[in-house]
Amino acid sequence: MITTGFHALLLATADHGKIVLALFIVLVAAKLAAELFERIRQPAVVGEILAGILIGPSVLNLVQPTDVLDALAEIGVIFLLFTVGLETRPSDIFKVGRTATIVAVLGVVVPFLAGWGLLTLWPGHSWIEAVFMGAAMVATSVGITARVLSGMGLITAKASRVIIAAAVIDDVIGLLVLAVVSSLARGSINYLHIGLIAAVAIGFTLLVVLFGSRVVNRVKQPVKDLKIDHSLLIFALVLCFGLAAVASLIGIAGIVGAFLAGLALSEATDGTKLHQQSQTLTEFTTPFFLVTIGMKLNLSIFLSSGVVMLSAVVIVLAIVTKFIGCGLGAAGMGRKRAIQVGVGMIPRGEVGIVVAQIGVAMAAIGEQVYGVVLAMAVITTLAAPPFIKLAFAGERAAIQPEGYDAEFQDEIR
Amino acid sequence: MITTGFHALLLATADHGKIVLALFIVLVAAKLAAELFERIRQPAVVGEILAGILIGPSVLNLVQPTDVLDALAEIGVIFLLFTVGLETRPSDIFKVGRTATIVAVLGVVVPFLAGWGLLTLWPGHSWIEAVFMGAAMVATSVGITARVLSGMGLITAKASRVIIAAAVIDDVIGLLVLAVVSSLARGSINYLHIGLIAAVAIGFTLLVVLFGSRVVNRVKQPVKDLKIDHSLLIFALVLCFGLAAVASLIGIAGIVGAFLAGLALSEATDGTKLHQQSQTLTEFTTPFFLVTIGMKLNLSIFLSSGVVMLSAVVIVLAIVTKFIGCGLGAAGMGRKRAIQVGVGMIPRGEVGIVVAQIGVAMAAIGEQVYGVVLAMAVITTLAAPPFIKLAFAGERAAIQPEGYDAEFQDEIR
């Protein structure tokens, strides 16, 4: 007895109903998978990404990628890096700055050469495809590693700090590589333009790292004196999205801006509720980030045996070269920590995907290479967490800053 | 020196950058306006809606309504009603059940008759337009009132409980009115179909109100024993979006489901961090709800003097009839409280807009009436908060349940 009137009613409420239903499905699937993986002593992150593959278009097709889910995923990874920034002291970054720079540089050079070399030797690919392949293998996606380490209570360990600092530097270098590659695709290199990007990106990062804390300390009291409720939280959100927007506009990933915002706030907000509030926002939004990664993997490209073979080689190279490059960069920290840094830098995630999208937009790479890059991004992300858990096994969780996860969790229970 | 490569890079990151920038603009505009309004002792809610008009397409056009902002607005009002539910005891609802029912019924009948009568007498409108006008004036949007009252620390006052319970009942009645009206638009009334909707909607509401708390109490311990972090928060989010999705699917507004989820959790989660966590999520998302309301008001329809006149009359009628209908229903509570209930039920918000959208979809109403309904929804929403503040002035904020706003705020500062 579904009549026209009822049908119209359903249609009008369907838009909202559909979104709420999608959120519900994503949350349930992600958290059921996370619980299952925790019980079999595997990283919850892997479970949530696999849940995305399962409910996405490739398998059950319960939920499809939409603008709304993409936006929630973006908000999720922004809050994730913001929270990581909050738990990091700027002085911690300075202390590991030299090591992190070497890790970042070697972690860019070795994978680039490998990706470029592979497609130069592999039959059927142009030289420009080879260059884009190299560029896509460059940038580490630190969100996954950060999630695994903060789940283990190890986000403030020394190797963790090197990983996070190196990932920020790595992102800036990745941007320059992309600028060079894009210039090559057009047939010439514009040094002025590349120099300009480099100056803006490096300048922005240094500015926030060096002066962010001081500015926050100065405006802290006026912010607290505002009449609106939760004014410190509001200020933090504005800073987080503001710096993320600036980072996006000058071409660095938005998450770098969010991380820098958290870093600027970290010392001034010790002992406030901001750390718990930021974790709550992260807890709600991160599943959308993880599930969306899984949802975008198109399993059907693996029907071609040529693609499967190329993907397999690319994935192995992506893992091995990043591990070796970054591990060598951290060799001075001793073998155990060098290994921790090496595995922590493995996940590529969304940054490689953006490079591939630009390659497609410039008609520099074909659909197959695009599919291979996507598979590389998802599978390095899936493969890293077990290695990270293994490499960090036996490390004792550091004494947590006030208001941090473990204590918080105890109070809830 | 913007080259093609850089341009492609900007395009690829633009999607993400744009969303982050929009979030930033909405947050800054909403909270600057809120702070300004707090300082001139006006409701912050009004400031945030006006900020939406200002930054939206009608004035500065800094931000446009998109699927993403609509979704965040929907999530915002869902968290808002979820938090209201958390602060409400089911027994409080039972105690005011009889009064709330009378308030809801009179608050539906009087505005419906007024809207229908007006367009029957006003030249140039069909009888079916008159019927839709009446239906659009029926349903109270409780989000605004709830936000103002919780800002004043009065969400648990007796009149507040009547308003919230009446708004839930009102939504169910509004659904039935809409079903009748839609049947009329097709030329016949399908009693079986209307009875079916009524049974499902009433059954769902009663089921959750009567048994929700018991079920939550039973599963509470197993939930706490889960291995995932913040398991109680995750469970609450799943319940919130789950019941909101069910409510949407059976045709009641999703926010009713969210409110019922909060209600079911309220007693079992006393003394946990859930109440603060829920407020954090509300604090982040509510600005999108309020700004989106303002952003959707198209100021250009007021260029026609006929539309302005009709709008003015409809708005006055919408305010007066709801106030009189609901005030009469609450007459037994004494004059002061009857007035509080009357003004608290004035905002119409998004429910009237949905009715008008269905009318347009069925070709039952024209563009002008659609514009008038939109203006009515926004302006009743803007007009109510000052009256609410006035009517509740002198009430002492109740002793807050543990973890509630005021104490929370103190700890932050």
Side-chain angles (χ1 to χ4, degrees):
Chain A
M1 284 314 269
I2 302 275
T3 63
T4 333
F6 191 51
H7 197 63
L9 177 65
L10 283 182
L11 279 181
T13 54
D15 259 17
H16 281 166
K18 247 179 168 172
I19 288 165
V20 173
L21 188 63
L23 299 190
F24 172 71
I25 293 172
V26 169
L27 280 175
V28 170
K31 290 305 170 174
L32 282 181
E35 178 69 21
L36 183 72
F37 271 66
E38 291 272 5
R39 290 194 182 194
I40 59 175
R41 293 174 181 282
Q42 294 303 308
V45 171
V46 175
E48 298 193 29
I49 298 175
L50 289 177
I53 298 179
L54 189 70
I55 64 175
S58 271
V59 187
L60 297 178
N61 200 23
L62 290 178
V63 179
Q64 296 79 34
T66 60
D67 284 355
V68 172
L69 285 181
D70 274 351
L72 287 172
E74 174 76 1
I75 295 171
V77 70
I78 280 178
F79 280 139
L80 188 56
L81 269 287
F82 177 70
T83 304
V84 171
L86 268 184
E87 307 305 337
T88 309
R89 300 284 166 277
S91 52
D92 292 349
I93 295 282
F94 296 137
K95 270 184 230 152
V96 298
R98 227 179 66 97
T99 311
T101 307
I102 302 169
V103 168
V105 171
L106 285 177
V108 163
V109 172
V110 182
F112 180 86
L113 292 177
W116 168 75
L118 176 68
L119 250 64
T120 303
L121 299 175
W122 200 277
H125 295 285
S126 65
W127 68 272
I128 190 70
E129 272 193 314
V131 172
F132 263 96
M133 190 72 238
M137 287 173 71
V138 156
T140 290
S141 164
V142 74
I144 299 297
T145 301
R147 181 83 183 129
V148 174
L149 290 173
S150 79
M152 295 171 76
L154 290 171
I155 197 74
T156 53
K158 188 165 184 205
S160 307
R161 283 182 276 128
V162 171
I163 291 167
I164 288 156
V168 169
I169 299 166
D170 173 314
D171 209 274
V172 175
I173 302 177
L175 171 71
L176 300 181
V177 172
L178 187 55
V180 175
V181 169
S182 305
S183 295
L184 279 175
R186 286 193 331 280
S188 72
I189 298 188
N190 182 335
Y191 292 102
L192 181 66
H193 159 230
I194 291 166
L196 201 77
I197 299 183
V200 171
I202 294 171
F204 170 72
T205 307
L206 286 180
L207 210 70
V208 180
V209 171
L210 294 176
F211 301 106
S213 286
R214 262 179 262 184
V215 173
V216 168
N217 262 320
R218 187 159 299 182
V219 299
K220 192 179 159 191
Q221 199 52 47
V223 165
K224 286 184 178 176
D225 292 341
L226 289 177
K227 290 194 175 303
I228 49 171
D229 287 344
H230 301 167
S231 55
L232 194 60
L233 172 63
I234 298 296
F235 174 70
L237 289 172
V238 166
L239 196 67
C240 170
F241 285 102
L243 292 189
V246 171
S248 284
L249 290 179
I250 64 179
I252 332 176
I255 53 172
V256 172
F259 168 78
L260 293 174
L263 199 66
L265 286 160
S266 67
E267 278 165 356
T269 60
D270 255 0
T272 67
K273 297 260 161 172
L274 184 62
H275 297 238
Q276 290 186 9
Q277 292 172 323
S278 159
Q279 278 179 31
T280 299
L281 294 170
T282 306
E283 196 62 46
F284 168 53
T285 52
T286 303
F288 300 101
F289 165 58
L290 298 172
V291 165
T292 300
I293 291 176
M295 220 155 62
K296 288 200 170 156
L297 184 64
N298 179 4
L299 292 180
S300 70
I301 65 158
F302 295 113
L303 293 178
S304 143
S305 64
V307 175
V308 171
M309 242 176 29
L310 181 55
S311 299
V313 178
V314 165
I315 289 162
V316 170
L317 268 185
I319 293 174
V320 170
T321 55
K322 198 77 173 179
F323 176 71
I324 291 176
C326 296
L328 279 180
M333 299 170 72
R335 186 149 162 271
K336 185 173 168 66
R337 285 194 173 154
I339 290 174
Q340 292 173 343
V341 171
V343 295
M345 300 287 287
I346 288 173
R348 296 312 196 288
E350 69 290 351
V351 192
I353 296 174
V354 168
V355 173
Q357 281 169 341
I358 292 172
V360 171
M362 298 182 76
I365 67 170
E367 214 189 354
Q368 285 202 343
V369 172
Y370 179 69
V372 170
V373 170
L374 219 66
M376 185 267 292
V378 174
I379 293 172
T380 53
T381 297
L382 275 174
F387 289 117
I388 296 171
K389 269 198 114 161
L390 213 67
F392 280 85
E395 294 278 339
R396 278 204 311 145
I399 296 154
Q400 300 295 352
E402 193 185 340
Y404 196 63
D405 207 22
E407 171 234 8
F408 185 36
Q409 187 60 11
D410 282 335
E411 281 191 73
I412 280 190
R413 292 197 166 173
Chain B
M1 284 318 269
I2 302 276
T3 63
T4 332
F6 191 48
H7 196 63
L9 176 63
L10 283 181
L11 279 180
T13 56
D15 261 17
H16 281 167
K18 248 179 165 172
I19 289 165
V20 173
L21 189 63
L23 299 190
F24 172 70
I25 294 172
V26 169
L27 280 174
V28 169
K31 290 304 170 178
L32 282 180
E35 178 68 20
L36 183 71
F37 271 64
E38 293 272 7
R39 291 194 180 193
I40 58 173
R41 293 174 180 285
Q42 295 301 308
V45 171
V46 176
E48 297 194 28
I49 297 174
L50 289 178
I53 298 180
L54 190 70
I55 65 174
S58 271
V59 188
L60 296 177
N61 200 25
L62 290 178
V63 178
Q64 297 79 34
T66 60
D67 284 355
V68 171
L69 285 181
D70 275 352
L72 287 172
E74 175 77 2
I75 295 172
V77 69
I78 280 178
F79 280 140
L80 188 56
L81 269 287
F82 177 71
T83 303
V84 171
L86 268 184
E87 306 305 337
T88 309
R89 300 283 166 277
S91 52
D92 293 347
I93 294 282
F94 295 138
K95 271 184 228 153
V96 299
R98 228 179 62 100
T99 310
T101 308
I102 303 170
V103 168
V105 171
L106 284 176
V108 163
V109 172
V110 181
F112 180 85
L113 290 178
W116 169 75
L118 177 68
L119 250 66
T120 304
L121 299 174
W122 199 278
H125 295 287
S126 66
W127 68 272
I128 189 70
E129 270 193 314
V131 171
F132 262 97
M133 189 73 238
M137 287 172 71
V138 155
T140 290
S141 163
V142 75
I144 299 295
T145 302
R147 180 81 182 129
V148 174
L149 290 173
S150 79
M152 296 172 74
L154 289 170
I155 197 76
T156 55
K158 189 167 183 202
S160 307
R161 282 183 273 126
V162 171
I163 292 168
I164 287 155
V168 169
I169 299 166
D170 173 311
D171 210 274
V172 175
I173 302 178
L175 171 72
L176 301 181
V177 172
L178 187 56
V180 175
V181 169
S182 305
S183 294
L184 278 174
R186 287 192 331 279
S188 73
I189 298 190
N190 182 336
Y191 292 102
L192 181 64
H193 160 227
I194 291 167
L196 200 76
I197 298 183
V200 171
I202 295 170
F204 170 71
T205 306
L206 286 179
L207 209 71
V208 180
V209 171
L210 293 175
F211 301 105
S213 286
R214 260 179 264 183
V215 173
V216 168
N217 263 320
R218 187 159 299 180
V219 300
K220 192 178 157 190
Q221 199 52 49
V223 165
K224 287 183 177 176
D225 293 341
L226 288 178
K227 291 196 177 299
I228 48 171
D229 286 345
H230 302 168
S231 55
L232 193 59
L233 172 63
I234 298 296
F235 174 70
L237 289 171
V238 165
L239 196 67
C240 170
F241 286 101
L243 292 189
V246 171
S248 284
L249 290 179
I250 64 179
I252 333 178
I255 54 173
V256 172
F259 169 77
L260 293 174
L263 200 67
L265 285 161
S266 67
E267 278 164 355
T269 59
D270 256 1
T272 67
K273 297 260 160 175
L274 184 61
H275 296 238
Q276 291 187 9
Q277 293 172 322
S278 160
Q279 277 179 34
T280 299
L281 294 170
T282 305
E283 196 63 45
F284 169 52
T285 52
T286 304
F288 300 101
F289 165 58
L290 297 172
V291 166
T292 300
I293 291 176
M295 218 154 61
K296 287 199 171 157
L297 184 64
N298 178 4
L299 292 179
S300 71
I301 65 158
F302 295 114
L303 293 177
S304 144
S305 64
V307 174
V308 172
M309 246 178 23
L310 182 55
S311 299
V313 178
V314 164
I315 289 163
V316 171
L317 268 184
I319 292 174
V320 171
T321 55
K322 198 75 174 183
F323 176 70
I324 291 177
C326 296
L328 280 179
M333 298 171 74
R335 184 148 163 274
K336 187 175 167 65
R337 283 194 175 154
I339 291 174
Q340 292 174 342
V341 171
V343 294
M345 299 288 287
I346 288 173
R348 298 309 197 288
E350 69 291 351
V351 192
I353 296 174
V354 168
V355 173
Q357 281 170 341
I358 293 171
V360 171
M362 297 181 77
I365 68 171
E367 214 188 356
Q368 284 201 341
V369 172
Y370 179 69
V372 170
V373 170
L374 218 65
M376 187 268 293
V378 175
I379 291 172
T380 53
T381 296
L382 275 176
F387 289 118
I388 296 171
K389 268 198 116 163
L390 215 67
F392 280 87
E395 294 276 342
R396 279 206 309 144
I399 296 153
Q400 301 294 355
E402 192 185 342
Y404 195 63
D405 206 23
E407 171 234 5
F408 185 36
Q409 186 61 13
D410 283 336
E411 281 191 72
I412 278 190
R413 291 189 168 180

